[in-house]
Amino acid sequence: MNAINHLFSLLSSVLWGWPMVILLLGTHVFLTFRLRVPQRKLLTGIRLSVQKDKGAKGDVTQFGALATALAATIGTGNIVGVATAVALGGPGAVLWCWLTGIFGMATKYAEGLLAVKYRVKGNDGRTYGGPMYALEIGLGMKRMALLFAVFTALASFGIGCTVQANSIALLANETFGIPTWAVGLLICGLTALVIMGGVRSIARVCTILVPFMALLYVVGCVVILCMNGSYVWPAVQLIIQSAFNPSAAGGGFVGATVMMAARYGIARGLFSNESGMGSAPIVAAAAQTRNPVRQALVSSTGTFWDTVIICALTGLVLVSSILAYPDITYSDGAALTKVAFSKIPYVGAPLLTFGILTFAFSTILGWSYYGESAVNYIERQRMNRFYRILYIVALFFGSIISLDVIWNIADTMNALMAIPNLVALLLLSGVAAAETKKYLWGGRLDEEMESMLGKGE
């Protein structure tokens, strides 16, 4: 087991090294300009996300698809992950994380567009799509499509399932003294109630859970920023200065460099919002939308909420807290987050605990659909129920065992998902540009798209 753990740890560090960071960020920047800066239409995307596209084909509302994607995306990385980036790369990592979110909106836009463009109607009447269908139908790369589906299915049992269950069980045990096996059984029961109903059931729960948990967390951040009021602007200045001159941060950040700030900030932003990973377009394809561009605009708002808002707020809270309370130890990301929130009298620590618990559970729900869709692509509908049962069983074991090796395997699978997805994005960027020109810049955003293909066509 130690040898396996070492192998995947090595693979993960290689795959998530500078080449992947440059490839992902480069794709973000390339698509931003190739698609004529679709970020300009952010307000249109927000407006469309809360409207129902009546009569449009699909399984769930546009907001339901967005909420499910956000459920899988908004996780502990938005809280502890940002703190880790600050601890390792200095305050400047927050700016690089934020910039990654700004440019990443274009990639999330392109992913959503291609997902709807190449989605299909299954034999069960459901709508399916994602990078595997874009690779097969748009590029004729069936083998690469299968690889993406395999990596996604495996990743769902890691980052989306066992590690999230483990985080919930350990936190509940440390905070409330509940045995991990009891927490595991509770997680299994709650998850089964939701995912056995398929994407419609998952979307219904996520449309309620995601806005509530995100709003509560944002309110907590705002309260801390109000308490740190006189340090907020100095924190903004420090974040900007140390992004290009880390020595400006002083103290424990003296050893940080521009490269470290950029690496940890960019990597955390990429891993947090999943732009370019290929996961979010799987549920975007199920949205009830008139044409690909409408859902693409809605999908792009997911990166905005996840990174540009939530991760930025977290970073500002942490840096302002470091300035306000010089006694805070910031060598450890988790400890830094806990201390920052504990400054809110009485409710700070419970609020952070609730945030981590709900963020982790929502990730379980979102990734269950990603994994099931990947299995469905490989084996059609024959394995759906078996996958759901296996996913629930894996949740229990994830709650009671150590998961160091699973973390490393999950990180590896996530990186391997990104590679074929980026191939599809870059090779089909011309298609995305043509669709954008037709519907968005051509003023035809309300126009209906052509009918979906049936499987096998």
Side-chain angles (χ1 to χ4, degrees):
M1 186 60 69
N2 287 335
I4 294 173
N5 189 33
H6 178 72
L7 172 63
F8 278 99
S9 177
L10 181 63
L11 284 173
S12 176
S13 62
V14 170
L15 288 169
W16 281 108
W18 272 111
M20 176 63 79
V21 169
I22 293 171
L23 178 60
L24 277 165
L25 187 60
T27 301
H28 291 353
V29 175
F30 169 73
L31 289 173
T32 292
F33 293 102
R34 183 76 171 89
L35 302 175
R36 295 171 54 186
V37 196
Q39 292 93 327
R40 289 182 288 164
K41 294 293 184 178
L42 172 63
L43 293 179
T44 301
I46 293 174
R47 175 177 59 83
L48 291 174
S49 70
V50 295
Q51 294 178 345
K52 287 188 176 181
D53 223 343
K54 294 181 180 179
K57 299 178 179 67
D59 295 334
V60 297
T61 65
Q62 290 179 307
F63 183 72
L66 174 63
T68 304
L70 281 172
T73 303
I74 298 178
T76 54
N78 296 81
I79 303 177
V80 179
V82 175
T84 302
V86 171
L88 297 175
V94 177
L95 179 63
W96 291 108
C97 180
W98 186 80
L99 288 173
T100 300
I102 292 290
F103 285 104
M105 289 171 63
T107 299
K108 191 64 72 72
Y109 169 93
E111 288 179 313
L113 189 156
L114 294 175
V116 176
K117 171 72 175 176
Y118 296 109
R119 66 183 181 177
V120 301
K121 180 75 74 174
N123 297 327
D124 59 353
R126 298 289 179 89
T127 305
Y128 297 98
M132 49 279 205
Y133 295 93
L135 284 162
E136 179 183 354
I137 300 171
L139 295 170
M141 296 181 174
K142 175 70 173 179
R143 290 183 179 178
M144 189 170 287
L146 282 170
L147 282 176
F148 175 85
V150 170
F151 295 145
T152 302
L154 292 174
S156 72
F157 284 104
I159 193 64
C161 177
T162 50
V163 297
Q164 301 299 331
N166 190 259
S167 297
I168 294 173
L170 290 178
L171 184 61
N173 179 259
E174 292 172 2
T175 306
F176 308 110
I178 305 173
T180 54
W181 64 265
V183 179
L185 289 176
L186 179 61
I187 296 170
C188 291
L190 292 175
T191 303
L193 288 174
V194 179
I195 71 172
M196 284 301 182
V199 66
R200 290 190 177 95
S201 175
I202 294 171
R204 280 196 300 270
V205 173
C206 289
T207 54
I208 298 171
L209 179 62
V210 170
F212 174 72
M213 71 181 193
L215 180 61
L216 196 62
Y217 179 72
V218 168
V219 168
C221 289
V222 171
V223 170
I224 296 176
L225 292 177
C226 289
M227 294 172 61
N228 299 345
S230 59
Y231 296 94
V232 172
W233 179 243
V236 172
Q237 292 177 310
L238 180 60
I239 287 170
I240 295 173
Q241 291 171 5
S242 59
F244 306 101
N245 180 26
S247 62
F253 300 113
V254 165
T257 65
V258 173
M259 294 293 284
M260 287 174 65
R263 177 186 175 185
Y264 288 110
I266 292 171
R268 177 43 51 199
L270 295 172
F271 199 73
S272 172
N273 61 52
E274 297 183 10
S275 294
M277 192 180 295
S279 51
I282 294 174
V283 70
Q288 295 163 350
T289 185
R290 296 180 211 176
N291 59 62
V293 170
R294 290 173 73 90
Q295 183 56 35
L297 289 170
V298 173
S299 294
S300 69
T301 66
T303 298
F304 171 76
W305 296 122
D306 175 89
T307 305
V308 180
I309 299 297
I310 295 181
C311 284
L313 275 175
T314 302
L316 197 55
V317 162
L318 297 173
V319 177
S320 65
S321 295
I322 289 172
L323 294 177
Y325 309 103
D327 59 316
I328 285 183
T329 300
Y330 41 83
S331 59
D332 177 75
L336 172 57
T337 308
K338 186 177 294 186
V339 172
F341 272 82
S342 67
K343 298 300 180 181
I344 303 179
Y346 307 112
V347 299
L351 178 63
L352 178 62
T353 299
F354 179 79
I356 293 175
L357 291 175
T358 53
F359 282 14
F361 181 67
S362 70
T363 300
I364 289 172
L365 299 182
W367 268 93
S368 72
Y369 180 70
Y370 294 161
E372 182 177 329
S373 297
V375 170
N376 176 74
Y377 177 80
I378 299 169
E379 288 288 339
R380 303 312 186 200
Q381 283 83 36
R382 288 176 294 183
M383 299 289 288
N384 284 5
R385 187 169 294 277
F386 175 74
Y387 171 83
R388 294 173 189 173
I389 294 172
L390 190 61
Y391 192 85
I392 293 167
V393 171
L395 285 172
F396 179 76
F397 283 102
S399 302
I400 61 175
I401 61 174
S402 177
L403 292 175
D404 288 345
V405 66
I406 301 298
W407 265 112
N408 289 321
I409 293 174
D411 285 346
T412 302
M413 292 302 111
N414 287 151
L416 291 174
M417 283 175 62
I419 294 172
N421 179 58
L422 292 172
V423 169
L425 285 171
L426 294 173
L427 294 183
L428 292 172
S429 62
V431 174
E435 294 289 308
T436 300
K437 180 180 179 181
K438 173 183 176 181
Y439 291 108
L440 186 59
W441 308 124
R444 300 160 67 179
L445 200 55
D446 293 330
E447 188 174 302
E448 292 276 352
M449 68 177 287
E450 65 276 9
S451 299
M452 286 181 286
L453 293 173
K455 285 191 175 180
E457 289 189 39

